């Protein structure tokens, strides 16, 4: 059996990195896999959230995913907190994972920053919840951006440790699927930093709600160096901003970096940036329009998420029943 699970946080407007690193691949995988896609609101509250904004972002993220082409009839789309097995299994995994394993997680170090003592316990335990998200469905494949690779390795470690503790090959070891030409889209302001929803600069990212003017302005303002583009990919070495823009172009146009450089090698950014903006607008504008249609009907979004949650629950509940028995918990869960 091949089952996909992947999630996305409702922590603000989705950006081009989320689209190219995750959602574009989610859409393609629908043809070949049973797919479960989740708006991970339990993950979102690992950092402070305004409750009204969280509800709004949950609907917005669901609308973006639907607008990008997720079919809620063939795939399952829901928000995490509606299915209690995620939190229940995360607790069990908190009692399997070791402090030493979590201490190695680079995302916690980056997000906690210098004020580590003030970070929530939830932010620290984020990877055990992510392991629970995936393994509550015994998912076999997990499409993610490159930034989540380490968490996926931890998920495999947890699955293996659980299987060893309880003497059974209960969980599959899920495979990361790091797909596409832009597995790590970088900030438009700094070619060494990941494009991220939480970057304070609006100009660091293109969001799924940006209109054509905003996309053009942000790309024109993107940081670059004064050299023209090289004709070969080797020439992008040591030029992180140029590499990022060329990779974004290749991912959007669904061609190779070599193809992009064959066309634009020798040209300056004065020519390349408007061309990139046109490709981005052509790709994103129809999605943004469709997203706005969904956003005008929040009840429809809520109904899709509820239906998805019921179907997700129907898969997770019996698996959780088996986990409870293996663990030695008396009685059935009410959740
Ligand atoms: N810059 C990126 N390039 C490629 N893929 C990316 N993803 C995120 N940023 C990039 C992928 O998008 C999926 C959902 O990510 P997420 O929202 O769950 O969390 P995140 O990785 O923490 O994203 P952000 O934008 O950095 O959010 P904040 O700022 O709120 O923490 C994942 O598959 C991820 O790999």
């Amino acid at each position: 059996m091949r089952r996909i699970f992947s999630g996305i946080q409702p922590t603000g407007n989705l950006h081009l990195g989320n689209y190219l690193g995750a959602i574009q691949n989610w859409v393609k995988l629908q043809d070949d896999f049973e797919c479960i896609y989740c708006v991970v609101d339990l993950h979102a509250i690992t950092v402070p959230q305004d409750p009204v904004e969280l509800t709004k972002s949950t609907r917005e993220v669901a609308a973006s995913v639907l607008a990008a082409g997720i079919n809620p009839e063939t795939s399952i789309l829901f928000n995490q907190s509606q299915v209690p097995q995620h939190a229940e299994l995360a607790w069990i995994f908190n009692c399997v994972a070791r402090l030493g394993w979590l201490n190695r997680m680079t995302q916690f170090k980056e997000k906690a920053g210098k004020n580590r003592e003030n970070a929530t316990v939830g932010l620290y335990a984020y990877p055990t919840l992510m392991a629970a998200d995936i393994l509550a469905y015994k998912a076999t494949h997990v499409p993610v951006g490159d930034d989540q690779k380490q968490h996926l390795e931890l998920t495999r470690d947890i699955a293996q440790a659980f299987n060893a503790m309880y003497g059974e090959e209960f969980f599959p070891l899920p495979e990361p699927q790091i797909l596409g030409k832009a597995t790590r889209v970088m900030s438009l302001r700094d070619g060494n930093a990941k494009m991220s929803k939480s970057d304070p600069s609006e100009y660091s990212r293109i969001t799924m709600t940006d209109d054509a003017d905003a996309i053009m302005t942000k790309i024109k303002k993107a940081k670059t160096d004064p050299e023209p583009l090289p004709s070969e990919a080797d020439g992008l070495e040591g030029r992180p901003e140029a590499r990022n823009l060329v990779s974004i172009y290749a991912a959007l146009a669904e061609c190779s970096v070599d193809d992009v450089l064959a066309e634009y090698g020798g040209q300056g950014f004065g020519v390349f940036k408007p061309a990139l903006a046109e490709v981005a607008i052509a790709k994103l504008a129809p999605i943004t329009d469709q997203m706005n249609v969904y956003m005008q009907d929040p009840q429809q979004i809520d109904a899709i998420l509820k239906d998805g949650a019921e179907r997700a629950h129907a898969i997770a509940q019996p698996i959780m029943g088996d986990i409870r028995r293996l663990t030695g918990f008396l009685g059935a869960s009410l959740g």
Side-chain angles (χ1 to χ4, degrees):
M1 188 200 55
R2 298 179 344 142
R3 180 178 282 159
I4 292 267
F5 180 94
S6 196
I8 193 150
Q9 295 193 75
T11 41
N13 275 333
L14 295 193
H15 53 69
L16 197 59
N18 298 132
Y19 179 70
L20 295 175
I23 297 171
Q24 183 170 256
N25 301 321
W26 291 11
V27 174
K28 291 186 182 146
L29 291 163
Q30 293 183 111
D31 296 335
D32 298 323
F33 289 84
E34 176 189 10
C35 294
I36 305 174
Y37 295 130
C38 187
V39 183
V40 291
D41 47 8
L42 297 176
H43 281 280
I45 63 164
T46 56
V47 295
Q49 300 292 338
D50 176 288
V52 175
E53 282 300 314
L54 182 64
T55 309
K56 184 167 162 260
S57 287
T58 303
R59 290 198 182 105
E60 256 173 25
V61 168
S64 310
V65 169
L66 291 164
I70 295 301
N71 177 346
E73 285 175 6
T74 48
S75 297
I76 294 178
L77 177 68
F78 70 108
N79 60 308
Q80 189 185 21
S81 60
Q82 292 205 60
V83 179
Q85 282 73 20
H86 291 251
E88 186 178 357
L89 185 55
W91 179 256
I92 294 178
F93 286 166
N94 281 340
C95 304
V96 173
R98 300 293 188 253
L99 280 180
W101 303 356
L102 288 174
N103 283 340
R104 287 198 287 273
M105 295 297 112
T106 53
Q107 181 174 288
F108 175 75
K109 289 179 198 159
E110 282 160 18
K111 291 200 171 177
K114 292 201 180 74
N115 203 357
R116 195 183 151 103
E117 292 296 306
N118 202 35
T120 66
V121 175
L123 187 67
Y124 187 73
Y126 184 113
T128 57
L129 178 58
M130 181 165 155
D133 298 337
I134 296 162
L135 295 172
Y137 303 94
K138 292 191 172 179
T140 54
H141 294 78
V142 185
V144 282
D146 184 59
D147 60 317
Q148 293 297 326
K149 203 167 150 204
Q150 196 186 32
H151 287 168
L152 241 297
E153 279 159 12
L154 186 82
T155 299
R156 290 166 63 91
D157 290 344
I158 290 174
Q160 248 166 341
F162 182 96
N163 291 348
M165 269 167 96
Y166 295 102
E168 207 178 287
E169 288 307 301
F170 184 78
F171 289 121
L173 302 187
E175 295 287 339
Q177 288 186 303
I178 299 174
L179 305 167
K181 306 262 165 11
T183 54
R184 195 176 186 89
V185 177
M186 309 310 275
S187 157
L188 299 180
R189 309 301 298 163
D190 176 357
N192 292 309
K194 190 184 83 140
M195 186 178 283
S196 166
K197 298 186 210 91
S198 50
D199 191 311
S201 169
E202 284 282 314
Y203 287 96
S204 69
R205 59 184 168 264
I206 291 170
T207 74
M208 307 285 276
T209 51
D210 282 341
D211 61 18
D213 286 347
I215 294 174
M216 186 61 84
T217 308
K218 286 180 180 181
I219 291 181
K220 281 191 175 165
K221 278 184 185 280
K223 185 178 166 200
T224 42
D225 54 47
E227 302 298 321
L229 283 174
S231 304
E232 311 267 327
D234 286 355
L236 292 170
E237 210 54 52
R239 299 178 64 188
E241 283 82 17
R243 176 189 292 282
N244 189 36
L245 295 188
V246 170
S247 305
I248 292 174
Y249 190 111
L252 286 168
E254 301 195 44
C255 63
S256 69
V257 164
D258 289 337
D259 292 338
V260 181
L261 295 179
E263 191 172 348
Y264 292 100
Q267 305 264 28
F269 286 99
V271 171
F272 183 66
K273 281 179 168 179
L276 171 61
E278 289 304 336
V279 176
I281 292 163
K283 189 81 168 199
L284 297 181
I287 301 176
T288 308
D289 291 348
Q290 189 56 36
M291 183 186 160
N292 290 334
V293 173
Y294 275 111
M295 283 308 287
Q296 277 157 22
D297 191 355
Q299 282 170 345
Q300 186 196 3
I301 297 175
D302 295 2
I304 289 172
L305 294 176
K306 180 166 180 286
D307 174 67
E310 285 166 359
R311 286 155 58 208
H313 182 252
I315 299 171
Q317 195 189 34
I319 293 175
M320 198 62 219
D322 291 340
I323 296 168
R324 291 176 60 87
R325 271 190 294 283
L326 276 178
T327 312
F329 289 161
L330 181 70
S333 164
L334 299 176

